[in-house]
Amino acid sequence: MKEVLSPAPALTVRQAASRIVARQVRDLVRHEKGARRGATEAIHLMRVQTRRLRAALALFSDVLRPGRQAGRARLRWLARGLGRVRDVDVIAILLEEQHLPHLEGGSVEAARLEDLVAALKERRWRSHRKLKAMLERGRYAKLKEALLERARHPRFRKGGDEDAMAARFLADRIHREARRVSGHRAMVEREPDAADLHALRIAIKRLRYVLDFHAETCGLAFEQERRLTRDLQDCLGGIHDHDLLLSWFSGTADAAATPVEAALFAGAWRVLPERLAADRARLLRRFLRLRRKWLARTEPTGIVAPLEEPRFVALEAAPVQLRLAASQKTVASLKIVR
């Protein structure tokens, strides 16, 4: 079960940065053992944590001092190794679990797809072997130790916003990222292209991370937005996966598969590209619905419109003690939202 941090009231930026960075480091290291074994979910979660940690370091770059051995460049190196395995997992699972069962058993196309999935699994095995070697080398050991040291003993810049209230600091960043999302071309174009949708996905991912950081440290004031960004990110991720596959089948991919895989993708496919295109169209319709829902909740600038329920409002939990009138003894400590 994923650890959930209890929201703490009135955290400073220094405290929030320490807490957020430490959690991302712990979660990253926690999945290392599974990634070494080749576990699909562990590799996925470890890759996600490299992204979340990079986002946290970027978010607090004006507060935290940079780390030579534990900076964003080193994390990108680790993310690339994890991504080479994860990207193949996504494509192989999509083809094998969602499309192969729907092809006529024993047909030529089904047999070709089985060969293609087998070739992708072979690439996955080779990629994981390289990842395992990466995790066993000194460069990764130095990175992990530097990250753990940074989590234990964060170093702060002087004269920044480290003593400001975290709720206000994070809320300001949320509004900034939300404006970028709302003003993105893919949020206004009638038929956004693949490149714009992919760029929007990245913008939404950045917003989601800040929303998550706010929830972990300041409360659930933006819970509706967190759910909506998660749904948008998942939908856009599915569109991106289908766009990649369709480019491989059409031979227009910038970075094609290996020669063996490229040969398997080539040639006439009667059913599969049509199924992929139909699924992609379904995902696009879902994105347009989610987009309307997002825009209905926000003004064109990204600031929430004053509708019937509060949105994009930084609420903080305030500790309140209830006492018996007669004895003046403390009965309980509660948190209320003001």
Side-chain angles (χ1 to χ4, degrees):
M1 180 179 295
K2 189 175 180 63
E3 177 189 3
V4 177
L5 293 177
S6 301
L11 287 178
T12 64
V13 175
R14 177 193 297 264
Q15 292 168 325
S18 299
R19 193 173 184 181
I20 289 168
V21 169
R23 183 185 183 186
Q24 309 319 310
V25 172
R26 288 198 308 270
D27 286 350
L28 187 152
V29 173
R30 178 185 304 158
H31 299 300
E32 177 193 328
K33 188 175 181 180
R36 288 175 184 264
R37 294 197 311 267
T40 300
E41 187 65 10
I43 290 171
H44 167 57
L45 293 174
M46 191 173 183
R47 184 192 191 191
V48 169
Q49 286 309 123
T50 64
R51 291 173 171 172
R52 288 174 60 89
L53 182 52
R54 284 162 56 197
L57 294 176
L59 176 65
F60 296 109
S61 60
D62 292 337
V63 177
L64 291 169
R65 291 185 181 179
R68 294 182 181 178
Q69 298 295 328
R72 284 178 279 167
R74 298 295 180 97
L75 287 166
R76 278 195 294 270
W77 164 79
L78 176 59
R80 284 194 295 270
L82 293 161
R84 282 191 289 267
V85 183
R86 177 60 185 170
D87 290 344
V88 181
D89 278 339
V90 170
I91 297 302
I93 290 172
L94 178 63
L95 290 174
E96 184 175 30
E97 297 185 3
Q98 294 190 29
H99 293 287
L100 182 58
H102 297 283
L103 296 179
E104 184 179 349
S107 66
V108 173
E109 192 155 342
R112 290 181 66 192
L113 183 54
E114 288 174 350
D115 290 341
L116 178 55
V117 170
L120 290 170
K121 289 182 177 180
E122 174 68 20
R123 194 218 293 197
R124 201 267 189 193
W125 179 82
R126 292 193 304 270
S127 298
H128 175 254
R129 187 172 60 179
K130 292 178 182 178
L131 173 63
K132 185 178 179 182
M134 175 189 294
L135 297 176
E136 292 172 351
R137 289 184 185 135
R139 184 177 180 183
Y140 172 72
K142 290 179 182 178
L143 170 61
K144 182 170 76 169
E145 182 55 37
L147 288 172
L148 291 171
E149 177 64 20
R150 192 166 189 178
R152 288 189 294 262
H153 305 292
R155 300 170 61 214
F156 295 91
R157 299 179 186 271
K158 293 182 179 180
D161 294 329
E162 67 273 11
D163 294 323
M165 290 296 97
R168 175 62 59 84
F169 176 90
L170 291 171
D172 288 345
R173 270 54 181 186
I174 287 170
H175 284 294
R176 182 186 305 172
E177 297 298 334
R179 282 193 291 269
R180 289 176 180 168
V181 168
S182 294
H184 200 281
R185 286 201 308 177
M187 294 296 278
V188 297
E189 292 174 340
R190 175 173 292 184
E191 297 182 1
D193 61 23
D196 285 339
L197 289 171
H198 181 55
L200 175 62
R201 180 190 175 207
I202 294 172
I204 288 174
K205 192 183 301 181
R206 285 198 292 261
L207 171 58
R208 181 183 174 184
Y209 290 155
V210 187
L211 288 166
D212 287 345
F213 297 154
H214 184 283
E216 292 167 7
T217 53
C218 303
L220 302 179
F222 300 103
E223 192 60 17
Q224 293 292 326
E225 284 70 32
R226 287 181 73 204
R227 288 198 290 267
L228 188 50
T229 53
R230 178 197 61 204
D231 292 342
L232 279 164
Q233 183 183 337
D234 290 346
C235 182
L236 289 169
I239 292 174
H240 176 69
D241 295 339
H242 282 73
D243 284 337
L244 176 61
L245 270 174
L246 287 167
S247 69
W248 282 0
F249 278 106
S250 65
T252 60
D254 292 333
T258 66
V260 172
E261 295 161 3
L264 291 169
F265 274 110
W269 290 79
R270 184 175 59 86
V271 178
L272 189 53
E274 293 181 1
R275 284 190 54 83
L276 288 168
D279 277 2
R280 201 263 190 197
R282 175 182 55 80
L283 286 167
L284 181 60
R285 289 193 295 271
R286 182 167 185 262
F287 162 71
L288 295 175
R289 291 194 297 271
L290 290 169
R291 185 175 76 173
R292 287 194 295 270
K293 187 175 180 180
W294 172 270
L295 294 176
R297 296 182 65 84
T298 63
E299 297 175 356
T301 59
I303 304 299
V304 168
L307 300 180
E308 68 277 1
E309 58 181 272
R311 288 179 281 275
F312 276 115
V313 179
L315 304 180
E316 295 185 29
V320 176
Q321 288 189 331
L322 302 181
R323 298 178 181 272
L324 290 173
S327 65
Q328 296 298 307
K329 293 182 179 179
T330 299
V331 177
S333 292
L334 305 176
K335 285 183 178 179
I336 64 172
V337 175
R338 64 170 180 260

